[in-house]
Amino acid sequence: MEHTSIKQALDNESLTGTTVTVAGWVRTFRNDRFIALNDGSTIRNLQCVIDQEKVDATTRARFTTSAAVECTGVLVESKGSGQRVEMQVTELKVLGDSDGEKYPIQPKKHSLEFLRENAHLRFRTNTFSAVFRMRHQVSFGIHEYFDQEGYNYFHSPIITASDAEGAGEMFRVSTLDAKGPPLNDAGEVDWKEDFFGAESRLTVSGQLQAELGALALGKVYTFGPTFRAENSNTTRHLAEFWMIEPEAAFMDLKGDMDLAEGLCKHLIARVLKNSMDDLQFLDGRLKEEEATKPQAQRSEMGLIERLKFVLEDPFERITYDDAINILLRSKPYQKKQFQFPVEWGIDLQSEHERYLVEKHFKKPVIVTGYPAQIKAFYMRTNAPGDFGYSEKGKTVAAMDVLFPGIGEIIGGSQREERLDVLEARMKDMNVPAEELDWYLDTRRFGTVPHAGFGLGLERFVLFVTGMGNIRDVIPFPRFPGGAEF
Ligand code: 4AD
Ligand code: MG
């Protein structure tokens, strides 16, 4: 079947006056004459005008919401406002009926909660089709950016027997009988009997493997699903999410920050160029949602305005010391409005991150030089003169990129390339060196300075779509208590 996409039909001026065939799902059917048809290629519908005399009443009764219809006809300049062309239908076929009484999603405003419960059908709504077209644009833009920068797409494994990253709680992968697994002499589950001959889990990050790739190929990035079994029922956490992890040899923390900022801006520029229809719709959706909030909680900027703003301004780069000092001097701290304490050594909480970004700097912020004790073992220890070095305690060359409305969107660091320093740190943090011997080999044979970061795809999609809940920007969200569909 050769179909013209509705996007083509609406945008390609050379098609005006010609006969084309389109197929899609009915959004609405008005006045017994006007079918608003959508095929997912764009948020806009094609108005298909039927001749009542040629289409009998039984057929017309089948143009219910979400019925699949194929229409052939001439594209003519539209008399109505809102669209450039419409179709004068000459031939029409109902491809799939949709029982209007039973179809759960009607042409009215449904709550996002309701649509989450009907997540298998929510793609047919304007909001979700816009979100998932934009998710595609962002994903594609990620490959485009790294390809342009000379990075190789490197596939890190999903199943791993190493649990050393320490980035979060892990899901077990096993084929052992859950009711009566084989036991060893100590009476514990004998993982040697399991499929991989060792206790295995779903990965929380591909970084350690990406480092192996970077120290041979120079520049690599991973882009795949990542799993964390932490029981966080928040609007920012998923149990299964997609992470992008670039890693580059001969790159320091400054280069890492530049790469991260460059990526964010490339992606924003791409959606502003390719997704304007969807952005305009989502901008309107956000404005409506904001209008229901009390004045103090409303954001000052609309979605598109915010994206342009982030694109045009350099990100603020500060040290962890600066961040703590700003927070200690802040109004919410002095009025005891923060829920979590502020003092040197704490991990910044979302409320602190959002104060820095939304209230203090009013733009994305990159914080470097976090206390060593709250960051992973592989981060490089700072010395006097390093950006992020602190008199207050040991810090590492970590960098977190904080975004308005989101908080942490990227976490990364320069890696500890010095074998002796790394081994001492692992010992300090009780990271088992035996399990990571393969990783330590990179520091034994031709070690070089290198750096990388992890971007959470869904957090970025939240930002560019203006959606409020991370479960609404991944097609099939997995969270504590939920793996339906
Ligand atoms: O800060 P994280 O834990 O960093 C790492 O895993 C490093 N290995 C990355 C690296 O240096 N290669 O996670 C990176 C990002 C976070 O900034 C956040 O955007 C996202 O991954 N993220 C999550 N997104 C959704 N749900 C979760 N449970 C997430 N946990 C982290
Ligand atoms: Mg982090």
Side-chain angles (χ1 to χ4, degrees), residues 173-244:
V173 177
S174 173
T175 54
L176 292 182
D177 183 354
K179 290 198 199 96
L183 304 179
N184 61 20
D185 297 341
E188 297 154 343
V189 175
D190 189 1
W191 299 110
K192 284 205 208 68
E193 293 288 312
D194 204 352
F195 189 90
F196 297 106
E199 194 171 3
S200 304
R201 299 180 166 92
L202 293 178
T203 190
V204 291
S205 154
Q207 181 197 320
L208 301 190
Q209 290 90 350
E211 283 188 53
L212 305 187
L215 293 171
L217 298 168
K219 295 173 172 187
V220 300
Y221 70 105
T222 71
F223 186 169
T226 310
F227 306 87
R228 297 196 183 173
E230 58 220 323
N231 204 359
S232 19
N233 249 316
T234 76
T235 55
R236 302 280 173 267
H237 289 89
L238 289 162
E240 177 180 295
F241 63 99
W242 286 65
M243 187 156 45
I244 296 90

Side-chain angles (χ1 to χ4, degrees), residues 97-109:
D97 286 292
S98 168
D99 186 337
E101 298 285 299
K102 293 191 184 137
Y103 184 64
I105 297 171
Q106 294 302 322
K108 61 159 195 165
K109 214 169 156 53

Side-chain angles (χ1 to χ4, degrees), residues 34 107 114 118 130 186 239 262 271 275 360-361 369 393 401 428:
F34 303 104
F114 172 84
N118 288 280
V271 296
S275 306
H360 191 82
F361 289 109
V401 181
D428 259 10

Side-chain angles (χ1 to χ4, degrees), residues 12 46 65 105 109 120 136 161 237 314 325 336 401 451 455-456 482:
N12 188 343
L46 180 66
T65 303
I105 297 171
K109 214 169 156 53
H120 57 307
H136 163 76
H237 289 89
N325 289 334
K336 299 195 170 16
V401 181
L455 164 69

Side-chain angles (χ1 to χ4, degrees), residues 375 400 408 411:
K375 289 292 185 184
D400 276 7
E408 180 193 336

